[in-house]
Amino acid sequence: SYYGVGGPGSGGDDAGADDLDAPGLDPQRYVDARLRGTGFAELLRKDDSLVQEVRTLDADMQLLVYDNYSKFVSATDTIRSMKDNIDRIEGEIERLSDKVDGVETMANELSTRMSSKRAKIEKLVGLQSLIEKLNFLFELPIRLKQSIDEGAPGQAVFYYKRAVPILQKHAEVASFASIEKESHQIIKSLRERLEQTCSAPSGRRGISFEKYNEAVRLIFELDSGEPERSAAGRALGRQYLVWHEQYFTDLIAELLASQRALSLESFVCTMGEKVLTPLKECCKTYEELFFPVNGSSDSESDQEDDGGRGSLSSQEEAQDSLANFVKPIITEFLGAIRSRLIADDDTANPAGGGAEESASPVKEELGSGPGKSKYNAILTALHALITDLGSFSIEGVIRPGYFADRTMEIAEHAVRKQVVQAFEGLRCKVVQRFRTLSDQCSAELAESDGPMSLAKALADELEVDIAETMRGLDSLLNESGDVLADMAAIFDNLIKFQLRFWVLWLANAMEAFVARYHPFRRPAPGAATLAIKGDRSDSERAKILVEVPELAKVPRSLPLALACLAQQMRLYVRRAPYAIAGAPELMNELDSTKDRLLGKYVELTSREISTEVRRAFEASHTDLFAMDEPEVVREFAVNLVQAIAELRRQVRSCTATDHPGAPRGDD
């Protein structure tokens, strides 16, 4: 039947009719059912949902077609190129094979000719090598001093480690013993200088990263053959980590102090180059020098008391020491990157205060340069952050993917911050326009032009501001697609709810602007917040406090103009080209705000009418009760009725304003 009752398979048909994806869908029947059983607001939401779904599917299909076509063209070009080059490659291989055969023939001929002289040449070469070694041994003290004087202690240690086994092996030779003794004194003096270097502080007043690491490595090499190496190595390892921890802390602080001289991208790249690269090198050096050799057993010196700091006698303990050293540095590094890209402390401006936002390095760079996107600087920096630093890892200390997760979190927070700041700027514009509207009402422009015209002009300006903000955010999300492709839906929802939050903020701001003591107004520091009574105490709006200027005197026509603005914004929410979360609820909230503002306008107007009537009676010197005909009373009554009629007309002009075909407000 028409209503799906009776008949074989009727239940299945109903299920298919209600499911848009069912193969047996009857479009006309589906539409008729929705028109009969669904409200107007739900139909609008369903229509918006279907339009968005169709657009998404259409865009996906176009993207797939374009992608497949590009792959087909690329494959065709590759096959054509391979076909053109295959003949040339075969010819070159043949020529190369001929040349190899020629070289092999010549090598065989040379080997045959030189075979008789090979033994004699080898004997002479061995003799020459022996003479060079003896010369090296006899010149060893001179070479050591020369290397140290030239600032190359590593070369001196290399010479000494290379020669000392031979000198000790032939210590019975007097000349060798003398050379060994003199060289030992030189290296002992060098070791003392290296220990002084390791005791020096880091930073500008101390030694550089490279010199310290070289000094530690040379001390370790010089001590490698001594019996006390284990205990000395543990102490040197602890000193190594303490020195580098201070070095990286000072380095990050120095880079933060000089960040304003660098662009966002340069700052990110500089931080990675000057912090992460040396940190990885530092960990690698520590593993090479202070990690126990696999299979080595603990000696008695490993069990000695080392001041309660733990022994590096095992691989696990050494690994833990390195991890405890790296983690605070990485945390500080990511915090520095985060503070520059997000700048929470510098740019935060809570809940729409009218104060100017404080400058930050991020804001100074946004929109800089002709032809560049407003968000080009921060997007370039985020791309560098994710691509250049996201793959950073240290084996056994920082797992692969850790930096990718952390950098993605920073990038997500940075984009979120830009979205929030965009709506924050929109709030600041609203506060400025409220001031202008108040001045116009004070100058009685609202009486001559009508509050509706002022509200309409202000609504048009706000729509332009919203459109400009949304265009900027669309460009931000489109350009950040390659950086945060997986979060497009999240940011899209964020913008929808930020737009909803802004509309609720606007409703609260309109009410608080005409009332000095209003529960929606953010209290001054130290002052108590006014309690919100009634059903609104637990509402979403109750959590949104606003900062708007306090007016010494509220112009009488200002609440009416704001009520008309609330009506205009209600129309905008209904026909907005952007998706707004919970649009029907927002329209109801704007209606409530309009009603309260109209109540405020009626209150101010009634108070003004009463004051004028009282003054008129007080100014009259006629005994009203002794008059034969109360002409003065009649005049007062006429003026009062006219004032009330004008009040009623103004209220009707606000409540009856809507687009054609929509229901009009009550009188």
Side-chain angles (χ1 to χ4, degrees):
S1 68
Y2 178 78
Y3 293 97
V5 179
S10 60
D13 293 341
D14 287 342
D18 292 336
D19 185 5
L20 286 177
D21 297 327
L25 174 69
D26 184 352
Q28 186 61 41
R29 180 181 176 184
Y30 178 83
V31 172
D32 293 341
R34 298 286 81 75
L35 291 176
R36 288 194 303 270
T38 308
F40 182 68
E42 180 64 25
L43 286 174
L44 287 178
R45 283 196 295 271
K46 188 65 177 179
D47 178 68
D48 290 341
S49 175
L50 291 176
V51 170
Q52 292 296 330
E53 186 175 355
V54 169
R55 291 177 179 174
T56 302
L57 292 175
D58 184 54
D60 291 343
M61 182 181 65
Q62 293 179 5
L63 181 62
L64 290 174
V65 172
Y66 177 77
D67 188 32
N68 291 335
Y69 179 75
S70 299
K71 292 179 180 179
F72 174 76
V73 171
S74 177
T76 303
D77 293 341
T78 302
I79 295 173
R80 185 183 296 111
S81 176
M82 292 175 61
K83 183 178 179 181
D84 295 339
N85 294 332
I86 191 66
D87 296 335
R88 179 177 56 83
I89 294 174
E90 289 179 353
E92 292 181 355
I93 291 176
E94 291 179 359
R95 288 192 296 271
L96 180 60
S97 178
D98 295 339
K99 291 181 180 180
V100 170
D101 293 340
V103 171
E104 183 179 2
T105 302
M106 293 178 62
N108 292 333
E109 292 178 359
L110 289 174
S111 177
T112 303
R113 293 177 183 179
M114 299 299 295
S115 60
S116 59
K117 300 179 181 180
R118 184 178 295 113
K120 185 177 180 179
I121 292 174
E122 291 177 354
K123 183 177 180 181
L124 292 175
V125 170
L127 182 60
Q128 183 183 7
S129 176
L130 179 60
I131 294 173
E132 289 177 354
K133 290 180 180 179
L134 291 174
N135 287 335
F136 175 79
L137 292 176
F138 287 123
E139 294 176 359
L140 180 60
I142 298 176
R143 289 176 179 268
L144 295 180
K145 291 179 181 180
Q146 184 178 3
S147 298
I148 294 173
D149 293 340
E150 292 177 354
Q155 188 177 23
V157 173
F158 172 75
Y159 289 156
Y160 179 75
K161 298 288 289 183
R162 179 183 175 188
V164 72
I166 301 175
L167 294 175
Q168 292 177 351
K169 181 178 180 181
H170 302 283
E172 68 278 3
V173 181
S175 57
F176 281 14
S178 175
I179 293 172
E180 196 275 335
K181 183 177 180 181
E182 185 178 358
S183 300
H184 181 74
Q185 292 297 327
I186 296 173
I187 292 300
K188 182 178 179 181
S189 175
L190 173 61
R191 191 186 191 287
E192 293 175 354
R193 292 173 56 181
L194 294 175
E195 290 178 348
Q196 293 178 358
T197 300
C198 292
S199 301
S202 62
R204 295 179 178 178
R205 297 183 180 181
I207 62 173
S208 65
F209 176 85
E210 293 77 10
K211 285 187 176 295
Y212 182 87
N213 284 348
E214 182 186 22
V216 172
R217 185 179 292 276
L218 294 178
I219 291 176
F220 191 86
E221 291 181 6
L222 291 174
D223 289 348
S224 60
E226 299 181 4
E228 67 271 17
R229 170 182 176 269
S230 180
R234 293 199 303 274
L236 187 61
R238 291 193 296 268
Q239 182 181 359
Y240 180 90
L241 295 180
V242 170
W243 189 94
H244 282 91
E245 182 178 1
Q246 185 62 44
Y247 170 80
F248 285 111
T249 300
D250 295 342
L251 177 61
I252 293 174
E254 182 179 347
L255 291 174
L256 276 177
S258 60
Q259 63 171 308
R260 288 188 176 274
L262 302 173
S263 66
L264 287 175
E265 181 183 9
S266 299
F267 176 75
V268 171
C269 295
T270 301
M271 287 287 289
E273 178 183 356
K274 293 189 175 182
V275 177
L276 295 184
T277 302
L279 179 61
K280 195 167 187 175
E281 180 182 349
C282 169
C283 294
K284 181 180 179 181
T285 302
Y286 184 84
E287 291 177 357
E288 293 175 355
L289 300 182
F290 303 108
F291 270 36
V293 180
N294 292 334
S296 62
S297 59
D298 297 348
S299 63
E300 293 182 359
S301 58
D302 292 336
Q303 309 299 329
E304 294 176 357
D305 181 23
D306 53 2
R309 302 189 59 145
S311 171
L312 298 183
S313 59
S314 67
Q315 186 80 15
E316 293 77 10
E317 292 176 349
Q319 193 78 42
D320 291 342
S321 298
L322 185 59
N324 293 333
F325 156 73
V326 170
K327 289 179 181 178
I329 297 175
I330 293 299
T331 301
E332 192 171 357
F333 170 83
L334 293 175
I337 295 288
R338 186 187 190 93
S339 66
R340 176 67 193 271
L341 292 180
I342 301 175
D344 284 325
D345 296 336
D346 293 333
T347 60
N349 187 16
E356 296 293 335
E357 297 183 17
S358 57
S360 71
V362 174
K363 287 192 173 184
E364 292 173 0
E365 295 180 35
L366 293 181
S368 60
K372 291 186 177 181
S373 167
K374 177 181 179 182
Y375 301 100
N376 181 72
I378 191 168
L379 289 175
T380 305
L382 293 180
H383 186 271
L385 174 68
I386 293 176
T387 57
D388 297 346
L389 306 184
S391 59
F392 177 79
S393 64
I394 300 177
E395 184 178 358
V397 180
I398 300 178
R399 62 174 176 81
Y402 173 82
F403 251 74
D405 296 340
R406 300 291 82 75
T407 54
M408 191 65 70
E409 289 177 3
I410 294 176
E412 179 188 357
H413 197 173
V415 175
R416 286 179 180 273
K417 189 67 178 180
Q418 295 305 318
V419 173
V420 173
Q421 286 179 350
F423 284 96
E424 187 65 35
L426 193 57
R427 294 186 188 93
C428 292
K429 291 181 180 180
V430 171
V431 173
Q432 295 295 336
R433 300 195 190 285
F434 275 10
R435 290 194 181 101
T436 303
L437 179 63
S438 175
D439 295 339
Q440 292 172 338
C441 292
S442 298
E444 297 184 353
L445 292 178
E447 299 297 334
S448 59
D449 298 340
M452 193 61 212
S453 60
L454 294 178
K456 183 65 171 61
L458 179 55
D460 293 340
E461 293 175 351
L462 293 182
E463 289 187 24
V464 172
D465 293 339
I466 295 173
E468 180 181 355
T469 301
M470 296 300 291
R471 282 195 300 269
L473 293 178
D474 287 341
S475 67
L476 171 64
L477 298 186
N478 292 334
E479 294 173 13
S480 63
D482 57 337
V483 180
L484 302 170
D486 298 335
M487 301 181 182
I490 297 177
F491 291 131
D492 185 57
N493 289 332
L494 173 64
I495 292 177
K496 292 179 182 179
F497 281 94
Q498 281 294 322
L499 189 55
R500 169 186 173 84
F501 181 84
W502 180 83
V503 173
L504 293 176
W505 174 90
L506 178 65
N508 286 359
M510 287 189 289
E511 293 188 33
F513 191 53
V514 296
R516 175 176 296 184
Y517 304 104
H518 196 281
F520 289 157
R521 184 184 289 273
R522 184 180 296 277
T529 304
L530 296 178
I532 301 178
K533 300 179 180 180
D535 297 337
R536 295 197 297 168
S537 59
D538 296 330
S539 65
E540 184 179 1
R541 291 180 59 179
K543 303 175 183 178
I544 305 175
L545 301 182
V546 300
E547 292 182 11
V548 290
E550 293 185 3
L551 302 178
K553 181 181 179 182
V554 178
R556 181 175 62 87
S557 58
L558 179 59
L560 179 61
L562 291 177
C564 296
L565 175 62
Q567 178 70 8
Q568 292 293 324
M569 294 309 299
R570 181 185 185 279
L571 299 179
Y572 173 78
V573 170
R574 175 186 294 178
R575 56 180 170 79
Y578 317 106
I580 306 177
E585 292 82 356
L586 293 179
M587 295 168 62
N588 293 335
E589 292 293 342
L590 289 171
D591 282 338
S592 300
T593 295
K594 179 190 67 176
D595 294 341
R596 283 187 282 272
L597 290 170
L598 288 176
K600 182 70 174 181
Y601 172 68
V602 171
E603 176 188 348
L604 294 178
T605 304
S606 302
R607 190 179 302 166
E608 184 174 321
I609 292 174
S610 300
T611 301
E612 292 177 358
V613 170
R614 182 170 55 254
R615 289 177 179 174
F617 274 105
E618 292 175 352
S620 176
H621 300 290
T622 305
D623 187 358
L624 301 178
F625 297 99
M627 294 176 58
D628 295 335
E629 184 178 359
E631 296 180 358
V632 178
V633 175
R634 183 182 299 110
E635 181 179 354
F636 290 161
V638 170
N639 292 337
L640 179 60
V641 171
Q642 290 177 348
I644 295 175
E646 177 64 18
L647 173 62
R648 183 174 182 271
R649 186 189 68 81
Q650 293 281 17
V651 172
R652 284 178 59 87
S653 68
C654 176
T655 57
T657 302
D658 210 329
H659 62 282
R664 299 180 179 273
D666 297 332
D667 293 343

